[in-house]
Amino acid sequence: MASSLVDEAINYVPGEIIPWHFTPSIIVASFFASLSGTLLTIELLQRKRLGKSLVSRVHLFACSVSMGLIGIWCMHFIGNRSIALAGGQSRLQLVYSPEYTGLSCVLPVIGLTVAFQIAEISIHSFVWRRLLDVACGLMAGLSIVSMHYVGNLGISNYTLIYPRRYIVAACIIAVGDSTIALALFFYFKERWISVCWKRCLCALLLAVGVCGMHFTASVGCQYQLKRIPPEAAPDARNTPVIVAATMCFVAALSCLLILFYVRYRNIVLANRAQHMMLACAYFDEHGNIMVTNEGTLPSQRIAKRFVLQKFDDHFGIHHPVWFWIWKVSSDWNSVADLIPRMRAHLQRTNVTTGYNTAASSRSSIYDEESYHDSTVLFREGYCVAAADLAAQLQVPLVDGLGPLYDQVLGTGLLTAYQHGLKALDNGTTQQLTIFEKGQLLFYTRRLSSPEIDHYTAAGFRFAPLNRVEGAIANTMQIPIGLLAIQMQRVQDFAYRASVPCPPKQGTFFVCLAALARVRDSFRVLVPIDRQDELPDV
């Protein structure tokens, strides 16, 4: 067998153009290899946080590696494996040198890192935004082209001859397809309409562009024999293919892991609707709401539930604990030094694991003399949650979170709503509160331009409420219509709180009207837009 191969190889001499053909099955395999890389890249870009933190930079580099190394580099070598020269004679197939092969691995990663950084530049001008999209697509397309031709420079036993028209066509395909695919993806992401099938479409377009460029350039290529490799060399051509196939398998597995992680995160976020939560609803000057990269409000858990003092007890804005929370939120200096001790106490009593010692006086840890008020753990949980929320937002606890919204929003209401209760709202009848599985407290602010820059650099995003209300409503387990009403009230409250109230001068008549309730505290008449003041004329 070895002698016959030698005889076949002798039929061609160095300098001769060697005939070749494609292997269709390997072409299909190369496309799916590219698709696995582009899918992983799109999913990573979708979940990448904005900002210039180390985590954000590492995430961006991971996106570049996924696209450059798997979507382009792996596809290239698997695609080249489909080229059968001289009727498939093993000693006349493509053999690669490690130097250019390694260089072709690095070039697309560098180019795509620059391309993705260009795409993340925040700019409101429509013209400049489109120019940046073109620049991003140009860098991505050139990364594909440079990888292809540098990788082919590593072919050690052939000199490749490229017709100019095929080079131009390959460049147009790579740049044009990359521009369209990436512009569509970032357009969808910016407007929070990047559903799964749209991301798959963008990944498919990128894979088509990579494969289209590769095979367009390969169709017009001629292979001039430079030298005949020795007997041991034919096995070297399989090494890049084995490495590429392994990387593609890892990429496909990573996509599956991302899907499972997204499913897990959705379950975790939905379960939060059953707990007492503390969140922030911040708005910019255009009315956009600040959200995490998942499209939800930044939040922290206060407690698993509020411990009822009486059978008909209900936590709301008329509860004594709410009054305490309201006072503390207006003067964090009074408790800021105690928060580390509160956190240590909560850890000792295992509140964070769901075991509420305030609910049972039989606990061996529960000290009835020291903790006679069964709401003390809830108050501590509120203070600790506020400190954690401030740390998440990277702002100081004192004067950093903003005013506390003067209503409590019930969450976990979807079941009740689906059974026909169309008018669920906070502060209504006791019958409706039975269906509340959790509750949510808000900090709210109207942000200035420096504050917007700070939160953007911290990895948060601003979006119109109608774009993210579905994600927020799903995590809160409340109807979208109810969420829209509540968020409008929160936004109005934030606007009123941001407008400084000038000091009043002169003599005024003040009305102090109190409403006595049998099972509740007195309620005082106040203006709806200034609930910390009495009506006056």
Side-chain angles (χ1 to χ4, degrees):
M1 179 64 68
S3 61
S4 63
L5 290 176
V6 173
D7 294 337
E8 291 176 350
I10 293 176
N11 293 333
Y12 299 96
V13 296
E16 189 174 354
I17 301 298
I18 306 300
W20 60 274
H21 67 274
F22 283 123
T23 304
S25 59
I26 302 181
I27 293 177
V28 175
S30 67
F31 172 77
F32 282 102
S34 179
L35 184 60
S36 66
T38 56
L39 274 174
L40 180 59
T41 303
I42 292 297
E43 290 301 320
L44 290 175
L45 284 174
Q46 175 66 21
R47 287 155 183 82
K48 181 189 174 299
R49 297 181 61 180
L50 298 177
K52 299 180 180 179
S53 63
L54 178 61
V55 175
S56 178
R57 294 180 186 276
V58 171
H59 199 158
L60 180 65
F61 181 72
C63 297
S64 303
V65 170
S66 172
M67 179 65 187
L69 196 59
I70 302 175
I72 302 175
W73 189 87
C74 292
M75 179 273 148
H76 173 84
F77 284 99
I78 295 178
N80 273 4
R81 186 64 176 80
S82 68
I83 299 173
L85 291 136
Q89 298 181 38
S90 59
R91 291 182 60 193
L92 293 180
Q93 304 309 307
L94 302 178
V95 179
Y96 302 93
S97 64
E99 294 80 8
Y100 282 102
T101 301
L103 180 61
S104 67
C105 177
V106 175
L107 282 179
V109 175
I110 296 175
L112 288 167
T113 301
V114 176
F116 293 151
Q117 286 180 337
I118 292 174
E120 286 195 343
I121 296 176
S122 178
I123 190 168
H124 298 290
S125 172
F126 176 82
V127 176
W128 282 105
R129 181 68 265 171
R130 300 289 80 81
L131 290 177
L132 288 177
D133 290 339
V134 173
C136 174
L138 179 63
M139 286 300 302
L142 292 179
S143 299
I144 300 172
V145 174
S146 63
M147 186 275 131
H148 176 84
Y149 287 106
V150 172
N152 281 351
L153 280 177
I155 298 175
S156 59
N157 57 335
Y158 283 94
T159 300
L160 276 61
I161 303 172
Y162 304 101
R164 290 184 178 180
R165 63 180 183 275
Y166 287 97
I167 296 177
V168 173
C171 292
I172 292 175
I173 291 174
V175 173
D177 189 277
S178 299
T179 301
I180 295 173
L182 292 177
L184 281 176
F185 168 74
F186 286 106
Y187 175 85
F188 293 148
K189 182 180 179 181
E190 181 182 357
R191 285 158 180 78
W192 296 92
I193 52 178
S194 183
V195 294
C196 182
W197 71 267
K198 292 182 180 180
R199 296 198 299 272
C200 291
L201 176 62
C202 294
L204 183 64
L205 286 175
L206 280 176
V208 168
V210 174
C211 294
M213 178 272 150
H214 177 88
F215 290 107
T216 299
S218 298
V219 164
C221 183
Q222 293 181 329
Y223 298 87
Q224 185 179 30
L225 185 62
K226 185 187 302 183
R227 63 181 181 85
I228 300 176
E231 287 288 344
D235 293 335
R237 66 190 290 259
N238 294 323
T239 302
V241 178
I242 295 173
V243 174
T246 304
M247 290 183 179
C248 293
F249 174 77
V250 172
L253 183 61
S254 300
C255 290
L256 290 177
L257 292 177
I258 289 176
L259 292 178
F260 284 117
Y261 174 75
V262 171
R263 177 64 178 171
Y264 167 75
R265 282 292 298 170
N266 290 336
I267 294 174
V268 170
L269 293 175
N271 287 338
R272 289 185 177 183
Q274 321 299 321
H275 301 162
M276 301 291 297
M277 300 295 297
L278 180 64
C280 63
Y282 294 167
F283 301 89
D284 65 7
E285 57 185 2
H286 303 292
N288 298 323
I289 190 170
M290 188 183 81
V291 293
T292 65
N293 200 48
E294 296 172 309
T296 60
L297 298 178
S299 61
Q300 295 290 334
R301 195 185 80 160
I302 300 175
K304 188 173 183 179
R305 61 185 178 275
F306 181 77
V307 181
L308 301 179
Q309 306 294 305
K310 299 175 293 184
F311 177 76
D312 58 350
D313 195 11
H314 174 66
F315 180 75
I317 61 174
H318 305 296
H319 197 280
V321 175
W322 167 262
F323 300 149
W324 184 89
I325 288 176
W326 182 271
K327 293 178 182 178
V328 168
S329 301
S330 302
D331 184 18
W332 280 111
N333 285 317
S334 60
V335 297
D337 296 337
L338 300 176
I339 290 180
R341 298 175 62 184
M342 294 179 182
R343 190 186 302 274
H345 175 236
L346 291 176
Q347 292 174 350
R348 287 197 305 270
T349 53
N350 296 325
V351 173
T352 55
T353 61
Y355 180 68
N356 197 335
T357 58
S360 174
S361 60
R362 298 179 181 179
S363 171
S364 59
I365 305 176
Y366 180 75
D367 185 353
E368 190 170 356
E369 294 182 358
S370 301
Y371 305 108
H372 59 279
D373 185 357
S374 59
T375 64
V376 66
L377 294 179
F378 182 83
R379 303 184 194 206
E380 290 180 344
Y382 170 79
C383 295
V384 171
D388 292 340
L389 185 60
Q392 180 183 356
L393 300 176
Q394 301 179 19
V395 296
L397 176 61
V398 179
D399 299 329
L401 292 176
L404 184 67
Y405 180 53
D406 58 4
Q407 296 292 328
V408 180
L409 177 61
T411 57
L413 304 177
L414 285 181
T415 303
Y417 185 81
Q418 292 168 355
H419 282 80
L421 295 176
K422 305 295 185 180
L424 290 174
D425 197 355
N426 183 71
T428 55
T429 64
Q430 184 69 23
Q431 180 182 2
L432 296 182
T433 61
I434 296 175
F435 297 97
E436 293 180 0
K437 297 181 179 180
Q439 289 178 305
L440 185 65
L441 281 66
F442 285 104
Y443 291 110
T444 182
R445 295 181 64 185
R446 188 182 185 188
L447 302 176
S448 61
S449 295
E451 290 172 332
I452 293 174
D453 294 338
H454 164 76
Y455 289 117
T456 302
F460 297 98
R461 301 169 62 185
F462 290 85
L465 181 60
N466 60 347
R467 299 292 189 187
V468 295
E469 61 184 5
I472 297 176
N474 286 335
T475 56
M476 293 184 182
Q477 293 292 292
I478 62 175
I480 293 181
L482 176 60
L483 175 70
I485 295 173
Q486 289 289 352
M487 286 296 104
Q488 184 60 51
R489 295 175 181 174
V490 173
Q491 186 174 2
D492 294 340
F493 178 87
Y495 176 76
R496 293 194 302 267
S498 65
V499 177
C501 182
K504 297 181 179 180
Q505 298 180 355
T507 304
F508 295 86
F509 285 103
V510 178
C511 174
L512 176 58
L515 175 64
R517 300 177 66 88
V518 177
R519 298 184 178 181
D520 207 343
S521 58
F522 281 91
R523 299 186 182 181
V524 180
L525 180 67
V526 294
I528 191 172
D529 58 339
R530 294 289 181 185
Q531 298 194 23
D532 56 345
E533 299 179 4
L534 295 174
D536 57 30
V537 291

